[in-house]
């Protein structure tokens, strides 16, 4: 089976386990009667395959360099539309994420997102945070935002980078290899121009009062960008606890950013008449139409796979009949959580083993709470902002729960055992 198909089936394999192997699934995932939550996590991996194919081509071509992360629009809006709107973003983050990673020098890191981009780039979590908020709230496209979840939490626990590789992102510019971008550069990646004021003004044709409100909104949007930017890594995190802390700080900053723009957004939209509101909301419709134009054509193999993948989001989906997913289950569990090997290598006693199982189950349960199933975007920017904030709060709670379980697990470990745990992630890429 190809790696591409394997990625598509990996998440669905979890659902097979939940139905066919209930005792094992309960222990591994804490499903508590809801296997479809895991299926919906898998959809993010399956539906992103078409974008991933284009992204790989862009990365292999070497046309983009990590230095281009500075103030670039990852969707290509200001550069003319690319053949796929996600390709530049994926190429930029892949160049940056893999520049400092020596994991066998593979062309693709195991912690990449299904669309080919990366949620962790060196010590930086969510490099395009501000851009994702703008795209989700104004253009109704929360695709990238929805892909953040279990995989990023797992990468925080088991970082793919060894300590020297992480440090390479934070050393002074003059001493760093040119191919490795600085953390500061990565933190600037969200600065893609802020609110698309000109595009909004062109759509709604504001009067003087509305124009003033739009300028106030733009100022709030820029302040929100600065809030997110300040919650970026200045130093390389040395432990899993520190990486989870960075995730919490980043998510808290993004939530704070949504709070800051909520009132001025409501004020601006409230001043618009019904026709202007319709034209503002049409920006999201245009975005969806543009994305639809890049989907596989009906009758193609990619279209058939996308249609099959989307079934996991349907309420009547029955994973028991997915034979391919069933064959992938054991391999997936062994790859993601080699619990026996960890317990043996770290010489865990019974108490530490039990605490590790709690950590594992707590992390895997985030597959349910952070589902990647596509949903219809809300009709208004205010409603989309509320949905974005809810998603961020859910993720923050998930990260906090995993952090608590990690603290409990490491409470009685020796320094040697903690060092052994930190070495697990980099070994995956060796």
């Amino acid at each position: 089976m190809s790696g591409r198909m394997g990625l598509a089936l990996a998440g669905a394999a979890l659902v097979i386990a939940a139905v066919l192997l209930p005792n094992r699934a309960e222990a591994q995932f804490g499903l508590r009667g809801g296997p479809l939550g895991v299926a919906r996590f898998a959809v993010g991996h399956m539906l992103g395959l078409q974008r991933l194919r284009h992204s790989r081509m862009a990365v292999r071509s070497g046309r983009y360099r990590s230095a281009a992360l500075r103030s670039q629009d990852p969707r290509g809006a200001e550069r003319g539309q690319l053949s796929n709107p996600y390709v530049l973003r994926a190429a930029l983050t892949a160049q940056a994420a893999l520049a400092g990673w020596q994991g066998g020098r593979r062309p693709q890191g195991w912690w990449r997102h299904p669309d080919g981009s990366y949620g962790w780039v060196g010590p930086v979590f969510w490099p395009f945070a501000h851009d994702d908020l703008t795209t989700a709230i104004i253009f109704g496209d929360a695709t990238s935002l929805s892909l953040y979840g279990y995989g990023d939490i797992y990468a925080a626990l088991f970082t793919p980078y060894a300590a020297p590789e992480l440090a390479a992102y934070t050393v002074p510019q003059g001493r760093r290899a040119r191919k490795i971008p600085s953390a500061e550069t990565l933190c600037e990646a969200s600065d893609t121009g802020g609110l698309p004021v000109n595009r909004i003004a062109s759509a709604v044709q504001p009067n003087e009062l509305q124009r003033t409100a739009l300028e106030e909104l733009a100022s709030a949007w820029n302040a929100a960008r600065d809030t997110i930017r300040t919650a970026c890594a200045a130093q390389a995190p040395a432990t899993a606890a520190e990486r989870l802390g960075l995730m919490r700080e980043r998510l808290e900053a993004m939530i704070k950013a949504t709070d800051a723009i909520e009132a001025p957004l409501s004020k601006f939209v409230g001043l618009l008449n019904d026709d202007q509101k319709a034209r503002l909301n049409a920006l999201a419709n245009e975005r969806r139409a543009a994305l639809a134009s890049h989907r596989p054509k009906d009758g193609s193999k990619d279209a058939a796979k996308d249609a099959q993948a989307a079934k996991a989001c349907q309420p009547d989906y029955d994973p028991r009949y997915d034979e391919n997913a069933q064959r992938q289950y054991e391999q997936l569990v062994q790859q993601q959580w080699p619990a026996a090997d960890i317990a043996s290598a770290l010489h865990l006693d019974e108490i530490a083993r039990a605490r590790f199982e709690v950590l594992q189950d707590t992390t895997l349960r985030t597959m349910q709470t952070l589902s990647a199933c596509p949903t219809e975007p809300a009709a208004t920017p205010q409603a989309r902002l509320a949905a974005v904030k809810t998603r961020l709060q859910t993720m923050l709670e998930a990260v906090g729960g995993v952090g608590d379980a990690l603290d409990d697990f490491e409470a009685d470990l020796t320094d040697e055992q903690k060092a052994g745990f930190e070495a697990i992630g980099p070994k995956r890429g060796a």
Side-chain angles (χ1 to χ4, degrees):
M1 180 180 294
S2 71
R4 186 166 178 261
M5 182 55 113
L7 176 64
L9 295 174
L14 297 171
V15 191
I16 289 290
V19 176
L20 298 181
L21 306 173
N23 294 332
R24 178 71 176 275
E26 179 71 27
Q28 289 285 349
F29 305 113
L31 293 175
R32 305 186 189 282
L36 290 181
V38 181
R40 293 187 173 95
F41 155 80
V43 172
H45 294 269
M46 293 184 275
L47 295 183
L49 289 175
Q50 183 69 8
R51 291 191 295 274
L52 177 58
R53 180 173 67 84
H54 288 288
S55 302
R56 283 176 172 168
M57 294 172 59
V59 173
R60 284 201 300 267
S61 71
R63 289 159 41 213
Y64 307 114
R65 295 293 179 265
S66 56
L69 278 164
R70 296 186 184 91
S71 300
Q72 292 288 355
D73 181 349
R75 305 292 194 268
E78 304 302 325
R79 299 165 59 89
Q81 290 297 323
L82 300 175
S83 60
N84 187 295
Y86 291 90
V87 98
L88 178 57
R89 174 202 182 99
L92 292 180
T93 56
Q95 289 282 347
L98 302 181
W101 183 59
Q102 303 303 314
R105 298 190 180 276
R106 296 176 183 175
Q108 297 292 326
W110 59 259
W111 70 105
R112 70 184 182 271
H113 283 185
D115 65 353
S117 64
Y118 286 77
W120 277 101
V121 181
V124 177
F125 172 65
W126 211 320
F128 286 103
H130 181 258
D131 175 73
D132 283 347
L133 294 185
T134 302
T135 305
I137 296 168
I138 299 301
F139 298 111
D141 177 14
T143 302
S144 295
L145 188 147
S146 69
L147 296 181
Y148 279 86
Y150 166 77
D152 303 289
I153 296 174
Y154 184 88
L157 291 172
F158 304 107
T159 177
Y161 300 98
E165 296 167 356
L166 271 180
Y169 287 91
T170 58
V171 298
Q173 181 70 37
R175 296 169 53 194
R176 190 190 312 106
R178 291 181 61 186
K179 71 174 185 176
I180 302 178
S182 68
E184 181 180 2
T185 297
L186 294 169
C187 292
E188 293 290 326
S190 280
D191 185 5
T192 59
L195 186 73
V197 175
N198 292 337
R199 190 168 179 184
I200 293 174
S202 177
V204 304
Q205 296 295 308
N207 58 34
E208 184 175 348
L209 182 61
Q210 294 166 343
R211 168 67 73 171
T212 299
L214 179 57
E215 292 174 354
E216 292 175 358
L217 175 59
S219 296
W221 219 279
N222 290 336
R225 176 195 60 202
D226 294 339
T227 296
I228 294 172
R229 186 186 301 160
T230 57
C232 211
Q235 297 179 340
T239 66
E242 292 178 3
R243 290 186 291 274
L244 288 172
L246 286 176
M247 294 183 77
R248 285 195 296 267
E249 292 175 8
R250 192 74 158 163
L251 290 166
E252 287 169 351
M254 294 175 71
I255 293 170
K256 185 178 180 180
T258 62
D259 289 337
I261 62 180
E262 183 175 7
L265 177 63
S266 295
K267 178 181 176 180
F268 169 66
V269 176
L271 291 172
L272 302 179
N273 60 41
D274 290 344
D275 180 61
Q276 288 174 312
K277 290 177 182 178
R279 282 184 267 141
L280 176 62
N281 293 333
L283 294 177
N285 297 333
E286 292 171 4
R287 174 76 181 175
R288 286 193 290 274
L291 290 174
S293 69
H294 299 294
R295 291 173 186 162
K297 295 181 179 180
D298 291 340
S300 69
K301 292 183 179 180
D302 287 328
K305 291 175 181 177
D306 281 357
Q308 181 179 8
K311 290 181 180 179
C313 280
Q314 301 301 318
D316 58 350
Y317 174 68
D318 190 340
R320 290 174 295 181
Y321 302 103
D322 193 337
E323 296 179 0
N324 290 325
Q326 183 178 2
R327 290 196 296 267
Q328 293 291 318
Y329 167 67
E330 289 295 339
Q331 179 182 353
L332 174 70
V333 171
Q334 292 172 4
Q335 178 187 28
Q336 294 297 333
W337 283 91
D341 293 342
I342 292 174
S344 176
L346 273 59
H347 306 290
L348 300 179
D349 58 23
E350 290 186 7
I351 294 176
R353 283 174 181 261
R355 289 174 174 172
F356 177 74
E357 289 177 0
V358 172
L359 172 62
Q360 176 182 248
D361 293 346
T362 301
T363 306
L364 287 167
R365 201 171 294 123
T366 64
M367 290 184 184
Q368 292 178 280
T369 58
L370 298 171
S371 166
C373 261
T375 57
E376 285 296 323
T380 67
Q382 303 101 303
R384 292 194 290 268
L385 185 149
V388 167
K389 183 177 179 179
T390 297
R391 171 76 183 191
L392 295 174
Q393 290 173 329
T394 301
M395 187 168 185
L396 180 60
E397 291 174 2
V399 173
V402 173
D404 290 342
L406 176 65
D407 289 343
D408 290 342
F409 167 62
E410 294 189 326
D412 296 324
L413 297 186
T414 66
D415 291 342
E416 182 179 0
Q417 287 174 313
K418 292 178 182 178
F421 185 76
E422 292 298 331
I424 293 170
K427 287 179 180 178
R428 284 196 60 188

